[in-house]
């Protein structure tokens, strides 16, 4: 194990839990909700102010949309953003109803706790959806910082640094773990070690291109790389 790693910050979907969220559906419904809100509330045509779908993440698209509409009507901009966020949350919660943790998640987190390595979760998902899948999260993790808990979500490093503040561990002694290049970007910006896992949608090649410090099939394999021993799903270390 790298002796400098004293805390581990995890992404959630695709990292600690099976990925059931359809990002395409979420994107379409959020954009539709934003457009519908403008058509319903705006006294003057504002729909043309919505940015094109240029592929940026939907939360960043919505932030840009809000910045374009707000100078014309702040109330409408806030209503548009709320409608889109409500649509996003509906998709997240529905996906969570079909979600589950990986079988090794709880044993892994238990083992980290036994080694005095605090764990935390940061996610762009909503808190309600995460806790639907992992209702006993606080028995295993120091904190959960979901989308509504922070002013800026990852890849802004503030999301990561706020979680680290809960652990009391400095960034250089910590590791960010996730299944998306965005997680690696977040860790690098926050000054932590980084580990990518291929248990989500991103391919090995996509993750390797982000140049993480570690690359593993999943968090269980990452544990084996770091600690040099296997962990079974019952939490026993042979």
């Amino acid at each position: 194990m790298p002796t400098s790693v004293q805390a581990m910050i995890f992404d959630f979907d695709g990292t600690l839990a099976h990925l059931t969220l359809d990002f395409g559906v979420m994107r379409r419904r959020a954009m539709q909700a934003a457009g519908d809100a403008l058509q319903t509330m705006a006294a003057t045509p504002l729909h043309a102010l919505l940015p094109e779908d240029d592929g940026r993440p939907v939360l960043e698209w919505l932030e840009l949309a809000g910045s374009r509409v707000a100078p014309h009507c702040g109330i409408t901009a806030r209503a548009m953003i709320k409608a889109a966020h409500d649509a996003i949350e509906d998709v997240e919660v529905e996906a969570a109803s079909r979600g589950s943790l990986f079988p090794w998640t709880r044993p892994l987190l238990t083992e980290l706790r036994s080694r005095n390595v605090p764990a935390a979760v940061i996610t762009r998902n909503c808190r309600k959806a995460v806790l639907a899948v992992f209702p006993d999260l606080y028995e295993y993790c120091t904190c959960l910082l979901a989308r509504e808990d922070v002013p800026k979500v990852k890849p802004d490093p503030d999301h990561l640094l706020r979680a680290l503040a809960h652990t009391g561990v400095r960034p250089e002694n910590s590791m960010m773990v996730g299944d998306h290049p965005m997680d690696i970007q977040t860790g690098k910006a926050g000054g932590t070690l980084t580990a990518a896992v291929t248990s989500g949608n991103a391919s090995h090649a996509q993750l390797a291109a982000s140049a993480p410090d570690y690359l593993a099939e999943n968090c269980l394999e990452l544990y084996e790389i770091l600690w040099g021993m296997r962990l079974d799903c019952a939490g026993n270390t042979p």
Side-chain angles (χ1 to χ4, degrees):
M1 171 188 176
T3 55
S4 61
V5 177
Q6 299 170 17
M8 299 185 77
I9 311 300
F10 295 92
D11 169 56
F12 189 68
D13 292 296
T15 301
L16 295 178
H18 293 281
L19 184 58
T20 58
L21 184 60
D22 188 323
F23 291 99
V25 169
M26 182 177 72
R27 182 182 199 85
R28 290 191 295 274
R29 291 189 184 174
M31 291 181 173
Q32 182 65 50
D36 290 347
L38 287 186
Q39 290 182 338
T40 300
M41 293 196 60
T44 57
L46 296 178
H47 195 277
L49 295 174
L50 290 179
E52 295 292 326
D53 184 358
D54 59 0
R56 73 182 65 202
V58 67
L59 295 179
E60 283 73 10
W61 179 91
L62 185 57
E63 183 178 13
L64 176 59
S67 71
R68 290 185 176 183
V69 174
H72 298 270
C73 182
I75 294 175
T76 298
R78 289 190 292 273
M80 175 195 70
I81 291 171
K82 182 182 186 304
H85 273 290
D86 287 348
I88 290 170
E89 183 170 319
D90 286 345
V91 175
E92 291 171 335
V93 171
E94 190 282 325
S97 70
R98 297 178 280 106
S100 62
L101 297 177
F102 291 120
W104 38 258
T105 295
R106 288 186 178 91
L108 171 63
L109 295 173
T110 299
E111 182 65 16
L112 290 178
R113 184 173 55 196
S114 75
R115 293 178 177 274
N116 295 315
V117 177
V121 173
I122 64 173
T123 177
R124 290 164 62 96
N125 205 334
C126 69
R127 171 176 289 269
K128 183 178 180 180
V130 174
L131 293 178
V133 177
F134 196 179
D136 52 340
L137 179 145
Y138 287 106
E139 295 180 23
Y140 298 88
C141 297
T142 301
C143 76
L144 160 66
L145 293 182
R147 178 175 66 245
E148 61 267 45
D149 298 322
V150 293
K152 290 284 188 179
V153 294
K154 60 179 181 171
D156 193 304
D158 181 68
H159 198 171
L160 168 61
L161 295 176
R162 285 173 183 265
L164 282 176
H166 284 268
T167 71
V169 179
R170 294 177 61 84
E172 59 267 28
N173 297 324
S174 308
M175 177 177 286
M176 176 70 212
V177 185
D179 68 309
H180 193 279
M182 183 184 292
D183 298 308
I184 308 309
Q185 178 185 351
T186 304
K188 289 179 181 293
T192 70
L193 286 170
T194 57
V197 289
T198 59
S199 45
N201 285 341
S203 68
H204 186 283
Q206 289 173 319
L207 292 169
S210 66
D213 296 298
Y214 295 87
L215 179 54
E217 180 179 344
N218 52 44
C219 290
L220 182 61
E221 183 181 82
L222 177 64
Y223 171 88
E224 295 170 1
I225 293 170
L226 296 178
W227 271 268
M229 61 173 55
R230 297 191 64 182
L231 177 68
D232 68 24
C233 291
N236 301 315
T237 52

